[in-house]
Amino acid sequence: MHTQVGIIGAGPAGLLLARLLHLQGISSVILESRSRDYVENRVRAGLLEQGSVDLMIESGVGERLQRECMAHDGVEFIFEGKRRRINMQELIGRRVYIYGQQEAVKDMIAVNLAAGVPIIFEAEGKEIGGLDTAKPFIRYVANGREETLTCDYIAGCDGFHGICRDAIPTELLRGHDRVYPFGWLGILAEAAPTHHELLYVHNPRGFALFTMRSNSVSRCYLQVPPEEDADNWSDDQIWSELDRRLGQHEGFKLSTGRIFQKSVTPMRSYVAEPMRHERLFIAGDAAHIVPPTGAKGMNLAIADIYVLAKAFTAFYKRNDTSLFDRYEQICLKRIWRAQHFSWWMTSMLHIMPDASPFDLKRQIAELETVTGSVAGQTLVAENYAGLPFEL
Ligand code: APR
Ligand code: PHB
């Protein structure tokens, strides 16, 4: 089998790339190691920036998104008994949107398959090669048989644990890494949202986040030790810890209900350089990871793909390779700014295991500074609602 762009991974990155290429008449094949059912039901984060939503709508994968997403003009920070709202819409004229990543994945799978873009599920990429030749290849195993896909270029959209990043020679690959001494226990519950916008809570007991998936489903997170087992937490313990961290505030009361999903995610920051090697391009989680506090993971993947799709279009339509050469430079600028924002939000809101009273007071002062002036609020709003997609 031969295609123009061989894509490994049917996450947001691979699926959006296939869609954007199809719209330009460029052929691709997606190889995905998991089943369709698995990727469509894998619970992940769910906040989309304005730019991500606009791109999804423009590329014809935003129909259900437009109907079902929840648009938020503002976001709240809670610390030391105070509530501070940042009104993004008023400050910068942009908003954020709540839509579960797996819903976006479902939509993109359906649109790609309907358009005839091949997605081969349960096809595990084992090896890529020929990157410095005109005909790179992907060896994969499907139905117990070894197969080969040849292509002009390979897009490594295979997430943090994929095989593509490791195909960059070790002497060239640099990984910039930070592992945090905590994780997030995330739950989904049959409970109306505690508040109609997101609440980021600083509390000496640990960080908490109140978000949602719909008017009847809450998504909440608690800072926990990184090795914590979600099964150690009963529903009652989770609700009572969320309640204690939220504290008493006028205007809202914790909304509880049956918890139907819970898991612990470790937190790390990671950037791989380079993002291109010969005829391989890596994008999304394959190239970088952010802690979820800034809600940037899916949005960064989408921003990489915006650039990569333009680069393939310039090459196949105009034989112009200049964007191939600039791909990494364009992406890394935005990635490092998102890395900074995600690290900053994380460090401002989480309690380090060895935090001293000084550290807690300093965090409170920082939250006061940031939420207490238009300048500080604007800084958060611009980064949270997302930097522009640029070439
Ligand atoms: N062969 C085929 N598929 C693979 C292989 C392999 N060897 N290794 C990994 N995959 C698949 C995974 O099963 C997964 O479906 O690649 C896909 C990668 O998708 P994501 O992990 O969702 O990564 P990406 O598309 O970059 O999206 C980034 O996902 O983890 C979140 O916070 C992150 O929201 C961000 C988003
Ligand atoms: C989510 O809705 O899952 C979500 C929202 C904002 C974040 C992280 C996760 O910062």
Side-chain angles (χ1 to χ4, degrees):
M1 192 168 34
H2 182 84
T3 189
Q4 288 175 311
V5 182
I7 301 175
I8 308 189
L15 290 164
L16 184 63
L17 178 61
R19 175 65 186 164
L20 293 173
L21 294 179
H22 173 80
L23 291 175
Q24 296 297 331
I26 302 164
S27 71
S28 71
V29 171
I30 302 182
L31 303 174
E32 165 58 53
S33 57
R34 303 289 192 160
S35 67
R36 179 173 181 181
D37 186 60
Y38 183 93
V39 296
E40 289 190 342
N41 291 295
R42 183 167 45 193
V43 176
R44 294 266 181 88
L47 188 140
L48 288 167
E49 297 170 359
Q50 182 83 60
S52 301
V53 167
D54 293 346
L55 181 59
M56 288 177 66
I57 294 171
E58 264 169 49
S59 43
V61 294
E63 202 233 325
R64 188 165 66 101
L65 166 76
Q66 268 176 297
R67 265 187 286 126
E68 295 183 11
C69 75
M70 306 171 90
H72 289 184
D73 287 352
V75 54
E76 283 200 41
F77 288 81
I78 293 186
F79 54 98
E80 233 184 13
K82 299 180 187 111
R83 286 178 62 175
R84 293 282 170 78
R85 178 165 188 262
I86 296 185
N87 188 332
M88 294 172 279
Q89 176 62 23
E90 206 171 275
L91 288 162
I92 59 163
R94 281 183 286 143
R95 315 157 129 177
V96 296
Y97 299 81
I98 289 290
Y99 194 64
Q101 180 171 312
Q102 79 268 32
E103 303 307 318
V105 162
K106 275 180 208 161
D107 298 345
M108 291 194 277
I109 288 174
V111 170
N112 274 313
L113 290 177
V117 175
I119 307 176
I120 310 180
F121 291 99
E122 296 174 77
E124 184 169 359
K126 294 286 188 193
E127 186 199 350
I128 62 175
L131 298 175
D132 57 353
T133 70
K135 217 174 172 192
F137 63 84
I138 305 171
R139 288 207 208 295
Y140 65 98
V141 172
N143 295 319
R145 289 215 341 244
E146 189 163 300
E147 312 271 0
T148 302
L149 172 68
T150 60
C151 40
D152 303 343
Y153 291 92
I154 296 175
C157 302
D158 50 350
F160 191 62
H161 301 289
I163 59 165
C164 290
R165 187 175 63 247
D166 290 339
I168 300 172
T170 40
E171 64 275 19
L172 299 179
L173 184 67
R174 280 156 295 142
H176 307 282
D177 208 3
R178 170 177 292 238
V179 175
Y180 298 87
F182 40 77
W184 277 13
L185 168 65
I187 60 146
L188 280 169
E190 286 165 2
T194 285
H195 188 57
H196 70 277
E197 289 175 346
L198 271 57
L199 307 173
Y200 286 81
V201 185
H202 176 277
N203 186 291
R205 298 180 65 86
F207 168 74
L209 171 60
F210 295 79
T211 166
M212 66 204 68
R213 286 295 174 271
S214 69
N215 289 326
S216 55
V217 174
S218 281
R219 175 98 170 128
C220 304
Y221 298 96
L222 285 169
Q223 175 186 348
V224 294
E227 312 300 339
E228 188 71 303
D229 181 350
D231 289 333
N232 289 341
W233 289 74
S234 70
D235 287 17
D236 282 351
Q237 280 171 314
I238 293 172
W239 290 125
S240 91
E241 189 60 27
L242 284 165
D243 199 30
R244 291 177 77 166
R245 293 192 191 179
L246 179 61
Q248 297 302 308
H249 295 273
E250 246 173 78
F252 53 68
K253 184 177 167 295
L254 182 73
S255 158
T256 65
R258 188 179 75 86
I259 294 175
F260 59 91
Q261 203 271 344
K262 60 180 175 186
S263 62
V264 173
T265 319
M267 309 252 285
R268 78 190 301 165
S269 303
Y270 175 86
V271 180
E273 293 179 17
M275 289 173 68
R276 175 200 178 176
H277 178 64
E278 310 277 3
R279 285 176 176 245
L280 166 70
F281 295 87
I282 56 173
D285 273 21
H288 41 76
I289 295 282
V290 281
T293 330
K296 291 283 159 259
M298 180 167 34
N299 297 293
L300 272 185
I302 291 173
D304 289 350
I305 294 308
Y306 169 79
V307 181
L308 191 53
K310 294 267 187 215
F312 282 128
T313 305
F315 171 69
Y316 283 108
K317 298 272 164 176
R318 302 186 292 281
N319 208 20
D320 172 0
T321 56
S322 59
L323 272 179
F324 282 160
D325 300 332
R326 289 176 49 236
Y327 168 68
E328 133 160 316
Q329 182 204 331
I330 297 169
C331 292
L332 281 174
K333 188 172 163 202
R334 199 174 193 281
I335 290 163
W336 275 112
R337 291 193 61 187
Q339 285 289 352
H340 171 257
F341 180 68
S342 307
W343 164 85
W344 177 49
M345 288 276 283
T346 302
S347 65
M348 184 163 62
L349 289 161
H350 290 72
I351 309 300
M352 294 298 264
D354 60 353
S356 66
F358 176 89
D359 295 326
L360 297 186
K361 295 266 185 201
R362 183 191 49 73
Q363 284 179 316
I364 298 296
E366 190 175 12
L367 283 159
E368 284 284 5
T369 301
V370 168
T371 59
S373 75
V374 171
Q377 291 186 9
T378 306
L379 182 68
V380 172
E382 279 174 348
N383 286 279
Y384 191 72
L387 300 172
F389 287 5
E390 285 170 339
L391 289 182

